[in-house]
C-alpha cells in the first residue's frame, strides 16, 4: 500500500501554519464545521472553549493520521480516521470534566459533537494523509487557530449585541436593550453572513491591489 | 446490476479485490490502541471527576442553605424514615441536611428533576423547616439554550424567587397549603409564586413544576421527621 505525497513540498513549512489563519480559514473561506460555528458561538467564552477543544483534537488527529498514513489501506481510511478522532474527543471530554465540571457543563453535548466536525475529517483526508508529521502538525495548529479565531469573531459579536457583555463583563450601558435574536440560532446565521461579507471584501480589495501592482 | 449488462466486459472493468490482511491489520490495530487509550484515560479521570462532583454537590448544598457550614447526607427509606449515610453515597432517595457553626439545623437540601426545554433539568433546593419555606435553589445540570434557558442559574431576578418561597403545610401536615406555581414575568403577587424569566418561560415553568411535585413529596416527609436531623453533635 503506497500513499503518495501530493507533491514534493516546495513551500516553506511555516506556510502550512499561516494559511489556516486567514487565506484558507476553515470557517470564513472553506465554510466548514458550520454546526459548532452556529451552535456554540452565542457567547465569547463558549466560542473560545469550543475553538480550543476543536484545535486540540485537530492537531492530535492530524499528527496521528499522518503517522499511520502508510499503514492504513485507502479502502478503510475514513473508518480509521473517525476512530482516531472519536478517541481523541473522548479523551478531551473526560479531561475537561476532570479539569472543570463547570466548563464541561457549559459546553454540554457539543464536545461529543466535535467527532462529526468536518474541519477535522476534512484536514485528515485532504492534508494529513498525504503529508509528513511536522507539516501536518503545523496545518492542524494553523487551521485550529483559524477556527478558534472565527468562532471568537462570531461569539464576541453575538454576545455583545445579544447580552451587552463580553466574556461575561458588562460592556454596553445598562440602557442597552438586548437583541435576543443574536443569541438564538438565527443570530448565528446573520453574524456569520456579516463576517463572510467583511472577509470577502478585504480579500477582494487585496486581490485588486495586487493586480494593479502587477499591471 | 441489470440482467442484460454484458458480463464479460464487466469482469474486465472490475479491479482485483484489495488484499484483506492490511485492512484487518489496520482496523484491529487502530481499534485496539484506541480502546486501551480510552480505558486508561477513563480509569485515570474517574476518581477526579467523582471528587469534583462530590465537591460541587457540597458547594451546592451550602449555596441553597445560606448559613450552613457542614452537611450530612441522609437516605430516606419508606416506613423507616431518614438515616445518615456516607457523603459519597448515590441514589434517588438522598437529602442533604445543612448545619450552621453551632451545629443547628439550617435546612435540608433536596434534588428535583424534570423535563426542561431541551433535556432533563436537575435542580437542588434548600428547605428551611423553621421558616416553612424554600431558601435557595441551584440548577445542577441542564442543557437549556445558552443565553435563554440557562439564565435560570444566573438571572438574579429569577433566583430571588427562591430566597423565601412559601411551602407551608396544611394543618394536618400532609399537603402543601399553596403549591408552587409559575407566573408571567412581573406578575408575582404571592409568596408561593415563581416569577418567570422573559424568553425562558418553558425552563422557568419546568423548574416550578418539578419543585411543586418534589416539595409535595419531600416537605411533609422532612417536616414529620425533623428529630432525625436534629441529633447532630457539634464538631469543631
Amino acid at each position: 500500500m503506497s500513499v503518495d505525497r501530493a507533491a514534493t513540498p516546495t513551500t516553506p513549512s511555516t506556510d502550512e501554519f499561516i494559511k489556516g489563519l486567514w487565506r484558507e480559514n476553515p470557517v470564513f473561506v472553506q465554510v466548514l464545521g458550520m454546526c459548532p460555528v452556529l451552535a456554540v458561538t452565542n457567547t465569547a467564552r463558549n466560542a473560545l472553549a469550543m475553538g480550543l477543544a476543536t484545535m486540540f483534537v485537530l492537531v492530535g488527529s492530524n499528527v496521528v493520521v499522518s503517522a499511520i498514513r502508510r499503514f492504513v489501506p485507502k479502502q478503510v481510511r475514513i473508518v480509521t480516521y473517525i476512530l482516531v478522532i472519536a478517541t481523541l474527543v473522548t479523551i478531551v471530554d473526560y479531561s475537561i470534566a476532570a479539569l472543570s465540571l463547570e466548563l464541561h457543563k457549559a459546553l454540554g453535548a457539543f464536545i461529543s459533537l466535535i467527532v462529526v466536525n468536518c474541519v477535522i475529517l476534512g484536514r485528515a483526508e485532504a492534508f494529513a494523509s498525504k503529508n509528513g508529521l511536522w507539516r501536518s502538525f503545523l496545518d492542524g495548529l494553523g487551521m485550529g487557530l483559524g477556527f478558534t479565531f472565527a468562532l471568537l469573531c462570531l461569539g464576541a459579536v453575538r454576545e455583545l449585541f445579544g447580552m451587552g457583555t463580553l466574556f461575561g463583563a458588562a460592556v454596553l450601558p445598562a440602557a442597552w436593550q438586548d437583541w435576543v435574536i443574536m443569541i438564538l440560532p438565527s443570530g448565528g446565521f446573520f453574524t456569520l453572513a456579516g463576517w463572510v461579507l467583511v472577509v470577502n471584501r478585504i480579500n477582494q480589495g487585496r486581490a485588486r491591489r495586487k493586480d494593479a501592482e502587477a499591471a | 446490476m441489470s440482467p442484460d449488462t454484458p458480463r464479460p466486459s464487466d469482469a474486465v472493468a472490475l479491479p482485483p479485490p484489495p488484499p484483506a490482511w492490511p485492512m484487518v491489520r489496520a482496523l484491529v490495530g487502530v481499534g485496539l490502541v484506541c480502546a486501551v487509550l480510552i480505558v486508561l484515560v477513563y480509569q485515570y479521570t474517574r476518581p477526579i471527576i467523582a471528587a469534583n462532583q462530590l465537591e460541587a454537590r457540597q458547594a451546592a448544598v451550602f449555596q441553597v442553605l445560606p448559613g450552613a457550614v457542614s452537611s450530612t447526607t441522609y437516605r430516606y427509606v419508606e416506613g423507616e424514615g431518614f438515616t445518615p449515610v456516607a457523603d459519597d453515597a448515590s441514589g434517588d432517595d438522598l437529602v442533604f441536611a445543612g448545619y450552621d457553626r453551632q451545629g443547628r439545623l439550617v435546612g435540608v437540601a433536596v434534588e428535583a428533576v424534570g423535563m426542561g426545554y431541551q433535556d432533563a433539568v436537575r435542580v437542588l433546593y434548600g428547605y428551611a423547616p423553621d421558616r416553612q419555606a424554600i431558601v435557595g435553589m441551584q440548577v445542577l445540570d441542564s442543557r437549556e439554550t445558552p443565553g435563554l434557558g440557562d439564565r435560570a442559574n444566573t438571572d438574579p431576578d429569577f433566583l430571588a424567587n427562591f430566597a423565601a418561597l412559601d411551602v407551608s403545610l396544611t394543618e394536618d401536615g400532609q399537603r402543601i397549603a399553596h403549591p408552587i406555581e409559575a407566573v408571567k414575568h412581573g406578575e408575582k403577587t404571592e409568596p408561593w409564586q415563581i416569577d418567570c424569566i422573559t424568553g425562558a418561560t418553558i425552563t422557568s415553568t419546568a423548574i416550578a413544576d418539578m419543585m411543586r411535585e418534589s416539595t409535595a413529596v419531600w416537605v411533609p416527609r422532612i417536616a414529620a421527621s425533623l428529630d432525625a436531623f436534629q441529633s447532630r453533635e457539634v464538631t469543631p
Side-chain angles (χ1 to χ4, degrees):
Chain A
M1 178 73 225
S2 70
V3 179
D4 303 318
R5 290 199 170 198
T8 329
T10 49
T11 50
S13 55
T14 46
D15 195 56
E16 311 295 0
F17 173 69
I18 293 166
K19 68 173 193 276
L21 301 182
W22 183 273
R23 202 178 67 237
E24 292 180 25
N25 185 291
V27 175
F28 294 144
V29 180
Q30 302 185 52
V31 199
L32 288 175
M34 286 301 107
C35 167
V37 167
L38 295 168
V40 280
T41 55
N42 38 29
T43 67
R45 182 172 163 271
N46 285 356
L48 182 66
M50 186 66 189
L52 292 179
T54 308
M55 183 167 84
F56 176 82
V57 176
L58 186 53
V59 170
S61 81
N62 260 14
V63 168
V64 175
V65 165
S66 170
I68 62 173
R69 68 188 191 280
R70 292 179 201 286
F71 171 72
V72 179
K74 70 173 189 299
Q75 291 87 355
V76 293
R77 68 190 191 286
I78 301 290
V79 186
T80 319
Y81 300 163
I82 289 289
L83 202 57
V84 169
I85 295 166
T87 306
L88 285 164
V89 169
T90 311
I91 293 172
V92 168
D93 195 19
Y94 284 132
S95 308
I96 292 181
L99 282 174
S100 158
L101 221 47
E102 198 155 326
L103 185 60
H104 190 259
K105 263 199 270 180
L107 292 177
F110 293 108
I111 299 177
S112 334
L113 288 178
I114 297 176
V115 177
V116 288
N117 188 324
C118 52
V119 174
I120 297 171
L121 189 61
R123 292 326 290 174
E125 168 72 1
F127 194 90
S129 62
K130 300 180 184 116
N131 286 278
L133 262 182
W134 178 237
R135 275 168 188 271
S136 299
F137 171 78
L138 286 176
D139 176 80
L141 198 65
M143 289 288 164
L145 278 177
F147 188 74
T148 309
F149 165 72
L151 253 62
L152 254 184
C153 285
L154 264 89
V157 168
R158 289 179 68 186
E159 185 179 346
L160 188 67
F161 288 113
M163 295 159 93
T165 59
L166 210 52
F167 284 103
V171 174
L172 295 177
W176 170 257
Q177 190 66 43
D178 292 348
W179 303 358
V180 177
I181 194 163
M182 294 300 276
I183 300 292
L184 293 171
S186 42
F189 285 98
F190 293 145
T191 317
L192 177 66
W195 276 113
V196 171
L197 184 78
V198 170
V199 169
N200 281 348
R201 264 323 252 278
I202 296 173
N203 283 344
Q204 280 169 7
R206 270 189 184 174
R208 225 171 291 137
R209 242 171 293 134
K210 225 176 223 174
D211 288 348
E213 275 167 26
Chain B
M1 194 195 306
S2 57
D4 49 31
T5 314
R7 279 180 179 279
S9 70
D10 218 27
V12 171
L14 273 176
W21 171 238
M23 287 197 279
V24 172
R25 190 183 56 181
L27 282 176
V28 172
V30 172
L32 272 179
V33 172
C34 288
V36 168
L37 261 179
I38 289 178
V39 168
L40 286 179
V41 170
Y42 177 73
Q43 290 284 357
Y44 179 71
T45 54
R46 192 176 54 168
I48 305 176
I49 294 172
N52 281 351
Q53 278 167 342
L54 196 63
E55 200 179 307
R57 188 163 82 178
Q58 188 100 29
V61 169
F62 295 158
Q63 206 205 321
V64 300
L65 293 170
V69 292
S70 66
S71 77
T72 307
T73 307
Y74 286 85
R75 186 186 298 280
Y76 180 80
V77 181
E78 192 70 58
E80 290 174 33
F82 293 93
T83 45
V85 290
D87 280 335
D88 56 355
S90 59
D92 289 337
D93 295 329
L94 297 179
V95 297
F96 314 96
Y99 302 90
D100 65 8
R101 285 194 196 289
Q102 284 79 40
R104 282 183 311 232
L105 181 72
V106 176
V108 181
V110 184
E111 263 188 48
V113 188
M115 193 59 203
Y117 183 63
Q118 313 259 18
D119 202 344
V121 176
R122 227 157 44 88
V123 305
L124 186 79
Y125 62 87
Y127 166 63
D130 54 339
R131 292 169 58 192
Q132 297 252 347
I134 305 289
V135 291
M137 188 281 295
Q138 195 188 7
V139 178
L140 294 177
D141 204 5
S142 85
R143 300 205 189 287
E144 301 300 274
T145 321
L148 294 172
D150 77 342
R151 292 201 332 250
N153 207 19
T154 50
D155 191 299
D157 291 343
F158 184 67
L159 291 177
N161 283 308
F162 304 96
L165 187 66
D166 180 73
V167 285
S168 42
L169 291 165
T170 50
E171 303 241 329
D172 60 1
Q174 295 298 308
R175 287 183 305 110
I176 308 261
H178 304 285
I180 295 169
E181 60 179 2
V183 294
K184 263 194 195 161
H185 183 66
E187 290 180 6
K188 176 175 166 130
T189 50
E190 305 288 351
W192 55 84
Q193 288 177 338
I194 293 177
D195 200 356
C196 287
I197 307 174
T198 317
T201 314
I202 297 179
T203 310
S204 315
T205 314
I207 291 177
D209 289 347
M210 71 183 84
M211 285 182 64
R212 179 174 59 240
E213 283 164 24
S214 172
T215 48
V217 175
W218 285 100
V219 168
R221 278 184 192 170
I222 294 168
S225 48
L226 276 181
D227 291 343
F229 300 110
Q230 302 287 10
S231 57
R232 184 185 164 88
E233 306 284 316
V234 179
T235 45

